[in-house]
């Protein structure tokens, strides 16, 4: 089957969530506004996640997986997902399902006019510390990148695959996906989406990841912006 959208699902020690991930994404595939598949990227999980992923993929023809030899981090998992898809569009959602797969249909309503559409988590169901650190980090990032995005940490995005494959990803850069699309002269926008509390599993990010790490990444982004090479091909012989 030819799919227009592939949803990348990074996984790291999420065995408690994967049954629900299968149920919710299967439910979404039946109502998706375009033909959609799912790609798990197992970031070297140390629990039973891989066995569960393989069982899910055996039961569902629209589900596939990539398994890392060792844990490489969220940015690497997202980059691997981008590298392995061949659909026109690539989406991204976290395996904790704090965002709703059905909201991909909301993002798809806008993708014809943009190269990236990202969700903005409305009425966030996170702790005070997590919300405040994310708010501060987003403010710092906006000051550096001028991307105009309120919530780049929202794990619900759709990107045109040809743009996604050109993103020079490095650790921590998943927070800068809109800015990296803008470096390619791509258009970005944000739309409100639902947000829910984490039901199972353990969050893999602490205060360092949410606040101090992103501040350091901003300087890496500024260096990359200065050195970034962008070009448009006018004609080829083939």
């Amino acid at each position: 089957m030819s799919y227009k959208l592939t949803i990348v699902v990074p996984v790291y020690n999420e065995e408690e969530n994967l049954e629900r991930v299968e149920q919710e994404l299967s439910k979404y595939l039946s109502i998706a506004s375009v033909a959609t598949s799912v790609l798990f990227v197992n970031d070297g999980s140390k629990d039973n996640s891989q066995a569960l992923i393989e069982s899910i993929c055996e039961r569902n023809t629209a589900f596939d997986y990539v398994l890392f030899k060792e844990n490489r981090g969220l940015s690497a998992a997202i980059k691997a997902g981008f590298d392995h898809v061949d659909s026109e569009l690539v989406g991204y959602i976290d395996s904790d399902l704090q965002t709703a797969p059905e909201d991909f249909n909301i993002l798809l309503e806008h993708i014809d006019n943009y190269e990236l559409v990202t969700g903005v988590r409305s009425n966030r169901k996170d702790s005070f510390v997590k919300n405040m650190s994310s708010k501060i980090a987003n403010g710092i990032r906006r000051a550096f990148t001028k991307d105009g995005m309120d919530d780049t940490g929202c794990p619900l995005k759709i990107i045109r695959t040809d743009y996604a494959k050109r993103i020079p990803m490095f650790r921590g850069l998943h927070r800068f996906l809109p800015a990296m699309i803008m470096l390619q002269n791509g258009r970005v926008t944000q739309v409100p989406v639902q947000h829910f509390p984490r039901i199972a599993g353990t969050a893999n990010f602490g205060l360092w990841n949410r606040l101090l790490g992103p501040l350091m990444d901003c300087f890496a982004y500024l260096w990359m912006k200065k050195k970034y090479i962008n070009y448009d091909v006018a004609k080829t012989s083939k």
Side-chain angles (χ1 to χ4, degrees):
M1 181 175 178
S2 178
Y3 299 105
K4 183 171 183 178
L5 169 66
T6 303
I7 298 172
V8 174
V9 186
V11 176
Y12 181 66
N13 294 344
E14 291 285 1
E15 62 180 2
E16 297 177 13
N17 277 315
L18 285 172
E19 181 179 351
R20 191 165 65 96
V21 169
E22 178 186 12
Q23 294 172 353
E24 293 301 318
L25 284 174
S26 295
K27 189 186 305 180
Y28 172 67
L29 297 189
S30 68
I31 63 167
S33 54
V34 299
T36 302
S37 65
V38 176
L39 178 64
F40 291 109
V41 181
N42 186 351
D43 183 21
S45 295
K46 297 177 175 61
D47 62 1
N48 197 42
S49 291
Q50 183 59 25
L52 293 171
I53 288 171
E54 292 185 21
S55 295
I56 291 170
C57 293
E58 288 175 3
R59 292 191 294 268
N60 301 275
T61 58
F63 287 64
D64 290 296
Y65 70 85
V66 172
L67 170 63
F68 282 5
K69 290 183 178 180
E70 58 187 8
N71 176 245
R72 303 302 295 171
L74 179 58
S75 290
I78 294 173
K79 174 60 174 170
F82 293 170
D83 290 343
H84 283 81
V85 303
D86 55 10
S87 53
E88 177 185 342
L89 303 172
V90 57
Y92 157 51
I93 191 171
D94 275 351
S95 49
D96 60 18
L97 290 185
Q98 287 192 256
T99 49
E102 61 261 31
D103 284 350
F104 276 118
N105 281 350
I106 299 175
L107 273 57
L108 285 166
E109 293 175 4
H110 302 270
I111 196 63
D112 285 348
N113 298 313
Y114 297 93
E115 280 62 58
L116 176 146
V117 182
T118 183
V120 178
R121 292 167 287 189
S122 57
N123 192 22
R124 285 186 63 174
K125 302 298 192 300
D126 287 322
S127 68
F128 174 80
V129 172
K130 185 174 180 180
N131 284 336
M132 286 305 298
S133 59
S134 293
K135 185 174 182 179
I136 294 169
N138 275 306
I140 294 171
R141 189 212 66 258
R142 279 196 306 273
F144 275 79
T145 65
K146 313 297 183 185
D147 63 9
M149 300 289 103
D150 296 316
D151 184 18
T152 60
C154 178
L156 198 75
K157 293 177 174 63
I158 292 180
I159 310 174
R160 293 191 176 278
T161 301
D162 55 342
Y163 281 76
K165 287 182 180 293
R166 292 197 295 265
I167 294 174
M169 197 71 84
F170 62 83
R171 188 180 297 273
L173 204 64
H174 59 273
R175 304 177 184 92
F176 296 83
L177 290 175
M180 296 308 298
I181 297 300
M182 291 172 66
L183 284 185
Q184 302 178 48
N185 298 320
R187 301 160 295 173
V188 302
T189 192
Q190 56 186 3
V191 296
V193 297
Q194 303 173 84
H195 190 246
F196 306 94
R198 174 183 270 270
I199 294 177
T202 303
N204 297 311
F205 291 90
L207 182 61
W208 169 262
N209 305 94
R210 297 192 185 102
L211 186 55
L212 300 180
L215 176 59
M216 296 177 64
D217 294 338
C218 284
F219 292 101
Y221 168 79
L222 289 181
W223 176 88
M224 181 169 292
K225 182 177 181 181
K226 183 178 180 180
K227 301 291 186 178
Y228 188 76
I229 297 173
N230 192 34
Y231 63 88
D232 296 309
V233 175
K235 184 186 294 187
T236 70
S237 60
K238 296 182 180 180

